[in-house]
Amino acid sequence: MSAGVLPLPDDEREPPFPNPGKIFAGPIHRCLLYIFAASLLQWVYGLGANMVQSNITQLTGFFHATVEETTWLIGAYMAPNVSLSIFLIKIRNQYGLRLFAELSIIGFLLTCILHLFVTSLQSAIIIRFFAGIAAAPMSSLAFFYMIEAFAPAKKRTVGLSLNLMNIALAVPLSRLVSPALIDHAGFHALFALEMGLALIGFACIFYLPLTPIKRAKVIEKLDYVSYGLIAVGLGINAAIMPVGRLYWWREVSWMGWWLAIAVFCLMAASVIELNRKNPLIDLRWLFSKEMLHIAIVLMMFRILLSEQATLASNFFNLFGLLNREMEVMHAGVVVGTVLGGLSCAIFFKPGREDLFHVIALILLAGGSFIDSHATNLTRPDQMILSQSMIGVGYALFLPPSMSKGLATAIARGPNYILSFIAVFLFTQNTGGLMSSAFFGSLQIVFEKYHSNILTQQIVMSNPIVANDVNQLSEAYVHVISDPVLRHSEGLAALAKRSTLEANVLAYNDVFRLYSCIALIVLVILLIRIALRGYKNFRDKQVQLSTQTA
């Protein structure tokens, strides 16, 4: 998910048409067209970003490659994508929004066309890298078109809620539409759909104008140096995170060296930015108490929300289930996300951030706790409720958090918007990749722990084990005449069952850990709310005493 490029404050923009109401910025039919264009552009971006990740297993067969090799497609896409929006806001401010929009959609269309000529994994990785570059502005354009439809007072409530709802819909929608496409024409069908949607978006961009903004020469020479170091640092990290647990972190030396280079580049960029008069990213402000609090909240929720994106689907992959068999569950996530997004659009107002966070945490903790009781008989239709709860929590959390951070940045001036984007990008994109890598690795560690315990219990002196081995051996009686070999096959089959059970227990541990983290954050948030309420009450008492005196 990309945060996109955020708009300038409302007083610096002139609406393209008069405001006839309290919600929309113009005639309803025209505003609905802007909302349609925003949704389309966001889904184009989201489907492109998640199509590969949602179909790794199928693409391994298409490219005749291993899972490790195919997963590099994710890293190639995310490497340039995670940081490019930081620089795009300056490009937009200097060269104008119209030119920015037109060139962005044309570049995206060209990369979609290139996907149709992919014949090997190597060419796919190269094209996915350029697709990550071309897709970065799409989320920004979707944001612009969404807020264009609403009156200034509703841009950071209704507009923001609907746009972030579309972002959240990308993962379940990609898993819903991809099975039929892959069956029809394989890898190329995924990007034929993306190209078709992009062509519709192309027409929308040229038909629906965006409000022009004031141009200014804002790009400095040191911006290229700083951004180059940031892009290399975050890009290396984004490329390695998806494949780290597959190669395993300590098993290959190149991974450590590349991560060390990434840390060095980010440190060098920090040194440059801290000594600039007009920094690309204001690090001193980012490490202030207020922004650290926002960053921690965003990061904690992003960690919790990674379950909805990948963990549940990976759990069912253990049993050989693919997206087709999980369509009902993903449809439930879509419904939950839409309900959460619409509820946020209707009821959210500045000052209600804590209320929405509390509700989101309760839903996340409850959904994860339900998932933690899964067994080897659990199937997707039994996780509809829990995953829908997590989808609602996702849609309820992001708009209040982003609105609060954006309001803080705008209050300090337009230059601070870029710094807030850096925080949002790091917590949502880079933080999402790192949390998925961490919890995916943790699941492997838990699996080894449970496998060790279960393996120690597989001894033939145990009558239950001996009976299971005999039953499993009977399956080979018509193909293997040697009783010793049949016994060995029975032991191997029991070992596979043991490994499967260990994986199920490991996923339950991770689900349970998610639930515990959500409950801990909820308790901290409630304590913070109580302390703030007590402080306000005490201040009012002091004020009343002063007035009485």
Side-chain angles (χ1 to χ4, degrees), residues 28-79:
I28 294 179
H29 70 279
R30 189 167 178 82
C31 291
L32 290 177
L33 285 177
Y34 275 87
I35 295 173
F36 169 77
S39 301
L40 184 69
L41 291 171
Q42 189 60 66
W43 293 340
V44 167
Y45 168 80
L47 290 176
N50 292 282
M51 279 292 194
V52 171
Q53 184 175 357
S54 301
N55 297 280
I56 284 293
T57 304
Q58 295 91 322
L59 293 179
T60 55
F62 180 84
F63 290 116
H64 306 288
T66 63
V67 174
E68 291 86 350
E69 293 170 339
T70 311
T71 306
W72 279 107
L73 291 169
I74 302 174
Y77 182 92
M78 295 304 298

Side-chain angles (χ1 to χ4, degrees), residues 219-396:
I219 300 178
E220 301 178 3
K221 292 182 179 179
L222 273 180
D223 288 337
Y224 295 102
V225 178
S226 296
Y227 173 71
L229 291 170
I230 293 171
V232 171
L234 294 182
I236 290 174
N237 180 75
I240 289 178
M241 288 299 113
V243 301
R245 66 184 180 88
L246 301 177
Y247 290 96
W248 201 246
W249 308 99
R250 298 179 61 185
E251 295 297 319
V252 288
S253 59
W254 56 263
M255 197 177 299
W257 284 109
W258 279 109
L259 288 175
I261 293 173
V263 172
F264 173 79
C265 290
L266 292 175
M267 290 179 62
S270 300
V271 171
I272 293 174
E273 290 299 286
L274 287 171
N275 290 278
R276 292 183 62 186
K277 181 180 179 181
N278 299 311
L280 181 67
I281 300 172
D282 193 332
L283 294 176
R284 290 185 174 86
W285 178 62
L286 292 186
F287 284 98
S288 64
K289 181 180 178 181
E290 185 179 30
M291 286 307 300
L292 278 177
H293 170 70
I294 294 175
I296 291 172
V297 171
L298 288 169
M299 179 63 81
M300 292 305 301
F301 271 88
R302 190 62 189 90
I303 289 172
L304 293 170
L305 295 170
S306 63
E307 179 194 344
Q308 187 260 344
T310 57
L311 202 65
S313 297
N314 290 343
F315 171 79
F316 289 115
N317 290 155
L318 292 174
F319 311 108
L321 301 182
L322 300 176
N323 289 326
R324 177 176 290 99
E325 288 80 21
M326 292 183 271
E327 286 179 344
V328 176
M329 183 184 73
H330 295 313
V333 175
V334 170
V335 172
T337 303
V338 171
L339 287 176
L342 294 179
S343 299
C344 199
I346 295 171
F347 298 108
F348 171 64
K349 293 180 180 179
R352 295 181 178 177
E353 291 86 359
D354 289 337
L355 173 62
F356 278 81
H357 288 167
V358 168
I359 296 173
L361 282 168
I362 293 173
L363 291 170
L364 291 170
S368 299
F369 181 75
I370 294 172
D371 288 345
S372 69
H373 293 83
T375 68
N376 55 18
L377 299 177
T378 301
R379 291 300 178 263
D381 56 346
Q382 295 168 280
M383 279 195 180
I384 295 175
L385 175 62
S386 59
Q387 289 298 301
S388 299
M389 291 170 62
I390 294 171
V392 175
Y394 194 165
L396 288 179

Side-chain angles (χ1 to χ4, degrees), residues 362-539:
I362 293 173
L363 291 170
L364 291 170
S368 299
F369 181 75
I370 294 172
D371 288 345
S372 69
H373 293 83
T375 68
N376 55 18
L377 299 177
T378 301
R379 291 300 178 263
D381 56 346
Q382 295 168 280
M383 279 195 180
I384 295 175
L385 175 62
S386 59
Q387 289 298 301
S388 299
M389 291 170 62
I390 294 171
V392 175
Y394 194 165
L396 288 179
F397 157 71
L398 278 178
S401 299
M402 191 171 178
S403 179
K404 185 176 181 180
L406 183 58
T408 303
I410 291 177
R412 296 180 66 95
N415 293 333
Y416 287 86
I417 296 176
L418 190 59
S419 299
F420 172 72
I421 291 175
V423 172
F424 192 77
L425 277 175
F426 181 80
T427 56
Q428 301 306 295
N429 290 346
T430 304
L433 290 170
M434 294 177 69
S435 64
S436 295
F438 174 74
F439 285 102
S441 302
L442 204 59
Q443 187 273 329
I444 294 175
V445 172
F446 288 158
E447 184 272 327
K448 300 303 179 187
Y449 169 77
H450 289 295
S451 288
N452 184 49
I453 294 176
L454 294 175
T455 303
Q456 292 177 5
Q457 299 176 13
I458 303 178
V459 290
M460 295 307 297
S461 59
N462 187 331
I464 298 177
V465 173
N467 182 59
D468 287 343
V469 172
N470 290 332
Q471 289 181 350
L472 293 170
S473 300
E474 290 298 320
Y476 300 94
V477 68
H478 298 295
V479 292
I480 300 176
S481 59
D482 189 338
V484 177
L485 289 178
R486 285 204 305 271
H487 183 76
S488 299
E489 291 295 335
L491 280 173
L494 184 60
K496 289 181 180 179
R497 287 190 177 185
S498 174
T499 301
L500 177 62
E501 192 63 33
N503 273 292
V504 171
L505 293 172
Y507 272 103
N508 283 343
D509 288 342
V510 177
F511 288 137
R512 199 171 294 115
L513 180 59
Y514 273 114
S515 182
C516 291
I517 293 174
L519 288 174
I520 291 171
V521 176
L522 176 61
V523 171
I524 294 173
L525 180 59
L526 290 174
I527 292 174
R528 187 171 177 272
I529 293 172
L531 291 175
R532 188 192 305 131
Y534 173 74
K535 182 178 181 298
N536 292 337
F537 174 77
R538 188 178 60 184
D539 291 343

